[in-house]
Amino acid sequence: AQTVTQSQPEMSVQEAETVTLSCTYDTSENNYYLFWYKQPPSRQMILVIRQEAYKQQNATENRFSVNFQKAAKSFSLKISDSQLGDTAMYFCAFMKGGSQGNLIFGKGTKLSVKP
Amino acid sequence: NAGVTQTPKFRVLKTGQSMTLLCAQDMNHEYMYWYRQDPGMGLRLIHYSVGEGTTAKGEVPDGYNVSRLKKQNFLLGLESAAPSQTSVYFCASSYGTTFDNEQFFGPGTRLTVL
């Protein structure tokens, strides 16, 4: 069975600075996808960024980028130029390729961006 | 285009009562999912559907039933609610299950069972 671990329950960062959220996962699969979701106080789950396991190049979406280390089974999220609107819970998630879309989530990291 | 909507947004039940949560999507998505989110936990999959008329069990299906009679709707039922089912319930949908098919989530339903 696959598991996703987020070892940082809470983090804080000053506005305009950079922060990195950690995620590790355990799987014996070779074909899988990894995701970071944001959940602001409104509770709405929003996809931030995604990565295919067979792609070595790290995904980037504007201020968000990942450091994907396949051998280490690590998938960290870097947020550059942090903004107050980035304050949210962030969830790392795993999906096995060829599955029915079943996402496996970590427990989340609560990020607070301070002015 | 409303995306994924959930009804109701909040509900309080007494132990043993029953209720149905409705999820509706207007994106013509084939796949629909029900998750629950408990404090300090990530979302966990309850049941899912890969198309109209189909349902399947997820990670935590006990105590729940689902139906997908229409493509756009996915219902989650609690026949006899228990305090352990106090949670926030999220519905999601996607066109497919490949990497580029994003799951879109509804706003959630907060359910309290007394």
Side-chain angles (χ1 to χ4, degrees), chain B residues 44-56:
Chain B
R44 292 181 293 167
L45 184 65
I46 305 171
H47 285 281
Y48 63 98
S49 169
V50 302
E52 182 178 320
T54 74
T55 63

Side-chain angles (χ1 to χ4, degrees), chain A residues 33-35 37 39 42-45 47 50-52 91 95 98-108, chain B residues 9 31 33 35 37 40-43 45 48 50 88 90 97-100 102-103 105-110:
Chain A
Y33 316 131
L34 296 164
F35 306 85
Y37 280 86
Q39 187 180 44
S42 66
R43 289 202 317 238
Q44 185 77 44
M45 294 288 287
L47 178 63
R50 47 190 159 180
Q51 174 84 37
E52 293 178 89
F91 292 96
M95 182 191 297
S99 70
Q100 302 301 327
N102 303 6
L103 286 166
I104 299 170
F105 286 86
K107 292 185 177 182
Chain B
K9 288 183 171 51
Y31 296 80
Y33 308 87
Y35 295 90
Q37 184 180 28
M41 300 285 288
L43 279 67
L45 184 65
Y48 63 98
V50 302
V88 180
F90 288 94
T97 59
T98 55
F99 173 74
D100 54 344
E102 177 183 347
Q103 283 191 25
F105 284 81
T109 295
R110 182 176 293 278

Side-chain angles (χ1 to χ4, degrees), chain B residues 20-108:
Chain B
T20 300
L21 281 66
L22 170 63
C23 175
Q25 52 92 6
D26 61 2
M27 296 174 282
N28 199 35
H29 284 170
E30 290 292 334
Y31 296 80
M32 296 188 75
Y33 308 87
W34 276 109
Y35 295 90
R36 62 177 287 173
Q37 184 180 28
D38 300 308
M41 300 285 288
L43 279 67
R44 292 181 293 167
L45 184 65
I46 305 171
H47 285 281
Y48 63 98
S49 169
V50 302
E52 182 178 320
T54 74
T55 63
K57 294 181 180 180
E59 179 186 356
V60 288
D62 294 342
Y64 304 95
N65 56 76
V66 288
S67 64
R68 182 104 181 264
L69 298 179
K70 293 183 178 181
K71 186 176 184 179
Q72 63 269 33
N73 295 337
F74 194 29
L75 279 64
L76 178 71
L78 286 73
E79 290 187 349
S80 179
S84 61
Q85 294 177 304
T86 293
S87 190
V88 180
Y89 291 86
F90 288 94
C91 177
S93 72
S94 67
Y95 186 75
T97 59
T98 55
F99 173 74
D100 54 344
N101 282 291
E102 177 183 347
Q103 283 191 25
F104 292 87
F105 284 81

